[in-house]
Amino acid sequence: MSGWVERFGFRLGRLLRAFRPAASTAIPSSAASTEWDSAPASSNLGVVALSEAEIAERKITVTTIGELELPTGEIIACDPLITGLERPVFSRKVRPGRYPVTLFEAQGRVAAAVLRFGHGLPVRWELAAFARDVGTSSWKSGFIVDDNVASFMDKSILTLMSGPEELDGYLADVACSFDRFRMDNPLDGNPLNLAMFDTGWGDGNYYSFWGLDAAGEPLVLMTDFEVLENADGRKSDLAT
């Protein structure tokens, strides 16, 4: 599901949606982030390296939706409508700045969300662990989506409002006002913003990955919503 119609009723439907099975992914429970091999977990990381011709051939649409303000360089990825829970911050920080948010869409759905921090292609990938999970199984670092919407935001968003109820209300208002994606500024005149977007097939448990350069610095952060297969946007029976 996607779009504002489905999300409009999230307050009534959240308990029902909670019983849906999480999105599946082939992940080893014993992997540690420093030893982790991305290959068995996601075949879609290579989508960021495709040429324009390959993107078109594979029926993928690429849309840059705006630039995300990251004044602390500490990034949150979450379902913004899950209240009463900590909105986790990734353990790896990036240099503060403004960075483009790009969506890869396929089969009429948002297949992946990407933040880009530098030029070039990643030479290796690393599971994006949350700070709260450092020292534990790295495969706990996915985030649950219960309302068909996810977001990227800077950690400073959490303290921008007067309290958690005001923040929850603001995020709910934004989530119910867009179709597919939106960039929004919580306060007029303040450059701090956030990115929201639909999540592929809907509710599930989704993982993010750092694409690193030869020096180990992040070039991209990608959240895979499991619509693509082998970085191909065509249905599996048509993919080659």
Side-chain angles (χ1 to χ4, degrees):
M1 294 189 296
S2 63
W4 71 270
V5 174
E6 289 83 355
R7 287 196 297 275
F8 185 74
F10 78 90
R11 293 180 179 87
L12 296 177
R14 178 175 293 161
L15 290 178
L16 294 176
R17 287 195 295 272
F19 290 100
R20 295 181 182 177
S24 61
T25 183
I27 49 180
S29 60
S30 61
S33 59
T34 55
E35 302 171 349
W36 173 77
D37 177 7
S38 67
S42 175
S43 62
N44 297 320
L45 301 178
V47 71
V48 300
L50 296 179
S51 67
E52 291 184 7
E54 290 171 321
I55 288 286
E57 179 185 2
R58 298 179 184 217
K59 306 300 183 184
I60 299 171
T61 301
V62 181
T63 304
T64 299
I65 65 173
E67 291 189 329
L68 185 66
E69 187 81 25
L70 296 174
T72 70
E74 297 183 79
I75 303 169
I76 293 171
C78 68
D79 175 346
L81 298 178
I82 294 181
T83 60
L85 297 173
E86 176 192 4
R87 294 183 172 97
V89 180
F90 288 120
S91 59
R92 180 184 284 275
K93 296 175 63 174
V94 300
R95 183 178 300 175
R98 291 181 64 89
Y99 299 104
V101 180
T102 300
L103 302 182
F104 290 80
E105 299 176 80
Q107 303 177 43
R109 301 177 183 276
V110 177
V114 174
L115 267 167
R116 177 163 282 278
F117 311 107
H119 299 292
L121 299 177
V123 299
R124 66 182 181 91
W125 290 87
E126 173 185 283
L127 181 68
F130 293 115
R132 67 184 183 189
D133 298 326
V134 171
T136 66
S137 170
S138 59
W139 290 110
K140 293 180 180 179
S141 290
F143 64 91
I144 295 172
V145 169
D146 194 31
D147 292 296
N148 309 322
V149 59
S151 61
F152 288 147
M153 65 183 81
D154 188 84
K155 179 182 177 181
S156 58
I157 288 280
L158 300 183
T159 56
L160 190 63
M161 305 290 182
S162 61
E165 291 185 359
E166 183 180 1
L167 176 62
D168 291 343
Y170 160 73
L171 294 174
D173 287 344
V174 175
C176 289
S177 67
F178 73 86
D179 182 23
R180 290 172 45 237
F181 60 82
R182 180 172 174 179
M183 301 287 295
D184 195 80
N185 294 79
L187 298 179
D188 292 340
N190 188 323
L192 190 64
N193 60 358
L194 56 86
M196 285 194 191
F197 30 83
D198 291 345
T199 55
W201 301 106
D203 303 344
N205 190 43
Y206 298 107
Y207 293 85
S208 303
F209 308 90
W210 297 106
L212 307 176
D213 65 15
E217 294 299 318
L219 292 176
V220 298
L221 174 67
M222 172 178 164
T223 301
D224 181 11
F225 296 120
E226 302 176 11
V227 174
L228 304 177
E229 184 175 340
N230 298 319
D232 196 311
R234 295 167 292 188
K235 293 182 180 180
S236 58
D237 57 343
L238 299 177
T240 56

